[in-house]
Amino acid sequence: MSQTERRPASTSLFRLKPINTAVEETGLKRVLGAGNLVALGVGAIIGAGLFSLTGIAASENAGPAVVLSYLIAAVACGFAGLCYSELASMIPAAGSAYSFAYVSLGEFVAWIIGWDLVLEYAVGAATVSVSWSRYVVSLLADWGVALPERLTASPFETVRLASGAEAAGIANLPAVFAIVAITMLLIRGVSDSAKVNAVIVAIKLTVIAAVIGFGLPYVHTTNYHPFIPPNDGTFGHFGFSGVMRAAGTIFFAYIGFDAVSTTAQEARNPARDMPIGIIGSLLVCVTVYMAFSLVLTGMVNYHDMLGDAAPVATAIDHTPFGWLKTAVKLGIICGFTSVMLVLLLGQSRVFYAMASDGLLPSFFARTHARFRTPWLSNLFFMIVTGVLAAFLPISELGHMTSIGTLLAFTIVCIGVLVLRRTQPHRERRFRIPGGATVPLLGVLSCLTVMASLDSLTWVRLVVWLLIGFAIYFGYSRSRSVLAPR
């Protein structure tokens, strides 16, 4: 097949990338098995959404009913996860939803979702790094080491100094350190990164089991009343609307399976292993989220979690187990590290795929001569994500990324429906049963959760997309590999 046949030139905004081109070999190494993919998914899914945003969503939106928010988000996520699995088995290409959209809905839609994923992963990793920083500060304080308060918080946050005075933060330097260290590991290679991830995922799951097991005796049922606090007159502030708002806020916690799909071109047998990695990690994590959030809100009243980015550390402080406090904080730090690793991994692969298609400067598609990783993409996002982590508070970061995740899921569900009509006979190693029911429910549930998010979050998304449109029409459209020459 010639290059012209594989990459037909077109001036259409919706020109399609042939599937054969999308899955052709690249300079990336195929070293990941099904177990690696499940571990990557668990590593990315269980993180800030559980250890940090649980407290924020409970205190600001849902109260103890945050467990229902996780269930609602899981249902929407489950529909999307099935759609991801079908497309990943059919189109095992780097880039996740971006690549799926390119072959099903066309270049312009692919650009929208690719640009959206850039924001999703950057803000997601920054959010987790802020929580990582909080737990590191808490652990070091237990050991008698006090970091300069103003260098562990953003300029939009107020900290209490050792003298007792209050002052605005300067920059969250521990969060920046985490981003830089993980980026260096990713540049060394996906195989080494996957091994490190597997170890810290095991530590993280052990910590969760310890918190649930040792925390159950300290659950006070009075903290569950009222289970759904009455709405205070504002949409999203408790009541059922608060449960839905919380579901939207914590939805980004489930983007782990999206990150798994970005590594398709590094999987040994992607058609078989990608669905296992996506669905397997999702089932494990949904169960863990619901059990953990129920115990956490039983140990600590949701009012006491307001503005607390480290609610698990607060909960453990209610127990007499001194050794558990240290072990839990250390384990959570390790767990956050795995989340950042997978998010930054997925982010660089999306950028790599977009650059390979000519939509971004070609140097972002260059792989390291020795490690065969897209190292320039890694370095670029180290800077971008580091800046976000240093200067923005966690509550703002969490809201920014949720809507991007939901938009990606919606487009993937639509892509399944389109490809079933346009390419019905193409091999699908995994096919969702029930015809169009699951993809349609995926679209409906994701749009419903999106509608519950606040107007400022929508404004941020629109502004980000407008910036993306300017780049696409000013640069990417004419430089695409599918553009006429």
Side-chain angles (χ1 to χ4, degrees):
M1 184 176 290
S2 70
Q3 185 77 359
T4 302
E5 292 173 324
R6 291 190 294 112
R7 298 179 178 237
S10 172
T11 58
S12 171
L13 286 176
F14 303 100
R15 50 199 178 198
L16 300 175
K17 182 179 181 180
I19 291 181
N20 290 339
T21 299
V23 300
E24 65 188 8
E25 289 298 322
T26 67
L28 302 177
K29 291 183 179 180
R30 290 193 177 276
V31 295
L32 301 177
N36 298 127
L37 296 173
V38 171
L40 285 173
V42 174
I45 294 173
I46 298 179
L50 183 67
F51 294 128
S52 295
L53 289 186
T54 298
I56 292 174
S59 63
E60 296 181 1
N61 306 114
V66 68
V67 65
L68 299 181
S69 301
Y70 275 116
L71 178 60
I72 292 169
V75 170
C77 185
F79 295 139
L82 290 170
C83 293
Y84 266 89
S85 296
E86 178 168 323
L87 292 185
S89 69
M90 180 183 177
I91 313 165
S96 181
Y98 160 77
S99 295
F100 302 157
Y102 212 156
V103 302
S104 61
L105 301 172
E107 183 175 282
F108 186 58
V109 177
W111 170 264
I112 291 174
I113 198 60
W115 187 246
D116 173 70
L117 285 170
V118 168
L119 177 67
E120 173 188 325
Y121 285 123
V123 179
T127 302
V128 177
S129 72
V130 172
S131 290
W132 184 94
S133 173
R134 298 288 174 84
Y135 278 100
V136 166
V137 171
S138 177
L139 182 62
L140 291 177
D142 292 342
W143 293 342
V145 179
L147 298 179
E149 295 86 351
R150 299 187 68 193
L151 297 181
T152 62
S154 77
F156 300 97
E157 297 172 287
T158 300
V159 297
R160 184 174 295 278
L161 305 179
S163 64
E166 292 186 345
I170 297 175
N172 195 330
L173 293 189
V176 176
F177 168 81
I179 297 294
V180 172
I182 291 170
T183 298
M184 295 300 104
L185 174 62
L186 288 171
I187 290 175
R188 285 189 56 84
V190 70
S191 180
D192 289 344
S193 300
K195 292 175 183 176
V196 173
N197 178 71
V199 172
I200 55 185
V201 163
I203 296 173
K204 178 161 55 176
L205 292 179
T206 301
V207 166
I208 291 171
V211 172
I212 293 174
F214 288 99
L216 275 173
Y218 298 92
V219 168
H220 301 285
T221 56
T222 54
N223 288 331
Y224 295 136
H225 301 290
F227 188 69
I228 303 179
N231 183 265
D232 63 5
T234 303
F235 183 90
H237 290 266
F238 306 109
F240 183 72
S241 67
V243 173
M244 292 300 297
R245 175 67 58 80
T249 298
I250 63 181
F251 199 92
F252 95 98
Y254 289 104
I255 68 175
F257 68 79
D258 179 275
V260 170
S261 67
T262 67
T263 64
Q265 283 184 284
E266 292 160 281
R268 288 194 291 266
N269 186 355
R272 183 200 69 185
D273 295 343
M274 295 307 297
I276 294 174
I278 292 170
I279 297 174
S281 59
L282 183 58
L283 289 176
V284 170
C285 295
V286 167
T287 303
V288 169
Y289 272 141
M290 295 186 66
F292 191 89
S293 60
L294 192 62
V295 171
L296 185 64
T297 54
M299 294 177 67
V300 182
N301 189 279
Y302 70 94
H303 288 298
D304 298 331
M305 297 185 194
L306 186 63
D308 188 355
V312 181
T314 302
I316 294 302
D317 286 339
H318 285 68
T319 75
F321 307 115
W323 62 269
L324 182 60
K325 297 174 185 178
T326 300
V328 166
K329 291 176 184 178
L330 183 61
I332 291 174
I333 291 168
C334 292
F336 280 135
T337 304
S338 73
V339 177
M340 289 185 283
L341 185 151
V342 180
L343 292 181
L344 291 172
L345 170 67
Q347 184 181 55
S348 64
R349 271 45 178 184
V350 172
F351 228 55
Y352 167 86
M354 296 176 74
S356 297
D357 292 330
L359 303 183
L360 292 171
S362 60
F363 59 80
F364 285 119
R366 294 177 188 169
T367 55
H368 194 282
R370 176 184 174 188
F371 303 125
R372 293 174 64 183
T373 54
W375 65 288
L376 291 175
S377 290
N378 287 126
L379 290 178
F380 175 75
F381 282 111
M382 179 186 76
I383 296 171
V384 173
T385 308
V387 169
L388 292 175
F391 299 115
L392 289 181
I394 187 172
S395 58
E396 294 301 318
L397 289 170
H399 284 82
M400 285 171 63
T401 193
S402 298
I403 196 166
T405 307
L406 288 160
L407 179 60
F409 289 178
T410 302
I411 290 178
V412 167
C413 293
I414 295 172
V416 169
L417 296 172
V418 171
L419 285 177
R420 284 185 177 181
R421 291 185 61 86
T422 60
Q423 301 199 37
H425 303 299
R426 189 170 187 90
E427 181 184 11
R428 291 164 172 82
R429 295 286 295 274
F430 175 85
R431 186 182 182 94
I432 307 168
T437 303
V438 169
L440 287 174
L441 287 174
V443 172
L444 179 62
S445 57
C446 288
L447 291 178
T448 300
V449 178
M450 287 178 74
S452 71
L453 294 173
D454 60 90
S455 58
L456 185 57
T457 299
W458 279 93
V459 170
R460 292 190 187 104
L461 176 65
V462 171
V463 171
W464 181 252
L465 291 179
L466 289 175
I467 295 171
F469 294 162
I471 296 174
Y472 176 75
F473 288 106
Y475 176 90
S476 305
R477 187 183 183 194
S478 62
R479 289 169 174 78
S480 167
V481 295
L482 301 183
R485 295 292 185 265

